[in-house]
Amino acid sequence: MKPQLLLFLLVFGIHPVLATEPPKESLGDIIKKVRDMYNRGIERTTIANYITETVDDNIKSTNNEELFEDPLNWFRLLGERNLNTDLKSEAYNDIANVAWTTGLGNCEENSAIVYYILQKAGVKEHVRIVRTERHSFTVWDIHPSARIDKPNTWGDNALVVDPWLGRNITREEVETNRWFMNNDPNAEVVDHTTFSDPEADSWNRINALYNRENNIKPDLERHNNHDEDCFIATAVYGDPNAPNIQKLRVYRDTVLKRNPLGIAFVNTYETVGPVFAFFIRNDEERKKWVQKNIIEYAVRIASEHQ
């Protein structure tokens, strides 16, 4: 091959080998296959392995050195959309489709793609996007009574589907794998699902509903240290253990939950509260208005009964 022709092929990203590669499957194709496997009763581990292998084959990590080992990728990257500047939305479906189109993505993009596939495929088990300090990943079939911050409560069926890591792992490995907990048993583990999918029920609501239906008493440690059931007040103050939130909890437990009208209010709040909290969480003006006109008024009422 003449040097001039070789240079032309490199500059414009055309490669004889690449030209013979089969076209990339669409996310719709992947979803159809997963839905079919799921409806036929194929084992979850088999389905999860298919998702992980397929996404791993199609999505290259932009912070992975191997991406730059092939000179062809240098030209490819120059022509690709930049996820950090082009992607304005944090919605999981937008992230998934842009990442799939560009073929680039790190752990957040991979977790969004997996969540997107499983949601669109119609799996019935709970699927959550979870984050630690170092990593973002998707958990399939997490038990509804589990505590997100305690992986050992996720249930034996919980499966971490993680194309970024290149394999699926059990919930036990989350506590030891350095990409998840950084070898720190006290590292923070949080549910990121409603941030990416505002239509998803908050985990607190799922947990509370399961506990009520199965007559399970709330976890006292969770109530004291990790409770986020005062959704709107927590969004306003940013701390689930703020003094005013504690007053509201006492009022809820000692007054509202002791009469039918109060119980109806609490149940309604648990339904609409997470949605309203999501609406105000990242808007300082909305938070100030809610604090002044709703929260402080509620705190005054609660204080009169304590």
Side-chain angles (χ1 to χ4, degrees), residues 56-234:
D56 190 28
D57 287 343
N58 285 277
I59 303 297
K60 291 186 177 294
S61 173
T62 56
N63 62 7
N64 193 331
E65 292 182 359
E66 71 179 20
L67 180 66
F68 301 95
E69 292 176 358
D70 184 352
L72 290 174
N73 284 327
W74 304 348
F75 298 98
R76 178 171 174 270
L77 285 170
L78 289 175
E80 292 289 5
R81 298 172 62 187
N82 187 318
L83 291 178
N84 295 325
T85 58
D86 283 5
L87 189 57
K88 307 299 182 184
S89 171
E90 295 289 344
Y92 74 96
N93 53 318
D94 290 335
I95 294 176
N97 280 288
V98 170
W100 192 262
T101 300
T102 62
L104 300 172
N106 295 325
C107 61
E108 181 177 358
E109 288 75 30
N110 278 268
S111 61
I113 292 173
V114 173
Y115 183 83
Y116 182 83
I117 292 172
L118 291 173
Q119 288 293 91
K120 298 301 180 183
V123 302
K124 297 174 182 171
E125 299 81 10
H126 289 293
V127 180
R128 311 303 291 182
I129 296 176
V130 179
R131 277 194 169 182
T132 65
E133 182 180 350
R134 293 174 59 90
H135 197 36
S136 176
F137 53 96
T138 308
V139 184
W140 182 9
D141 201 4
I142 183 171
H143 196 278
S145 69
R147 285 180 49 176
I148 294 293
D149 61 325
K150 300 292 183 182
N152 62 355
T153 70
W154 291 358
D156 294 337
N157 292 328
L159 185 62
V160 176
V161 187
D162 194 348
W164 189 89
L165 191 65
R167 62 188 179 92
N168 304 316
I169 69 172
T170 61
R171 47 97 176 166
E172 289 93 341
E173 289 184 86
V174 173
E175 299 178 283
T176 57
N177 189 287
R178 67 188 184 94
W179 289 113
F180 293 86
M181 306 298 289
N182 198 24
N183 298 320
D184 179 6
N186 297 315
E188 187 178 22
V189 183
V190 298
D191 187 355
H192 197 69
T193 311
T194 53
F195 181 81
S196 297
D197 181 7
E199 295 183 0
D201 281 342
S202 76
W203 190 251
N204 299 89
R205 171 165 169 71
I206 292 172
N207 187 278
L209 179 62
Y210 180 87
N211 288 341
R212 284 200 302 272
E213 291 178 344
N214 292 274
N215 196 29
I216 297 175
K217 293 183 179 180
D219 188 322
L220 293 179
E221 180 185 353
R222 179 183 181 86
H223 180 78
N224 292 331
N225 299 313
H226 302 281
D227 202 344
E228 294 183 4
D229 50 2
C230 290
F231 307 103
I232 299 174
T234 299

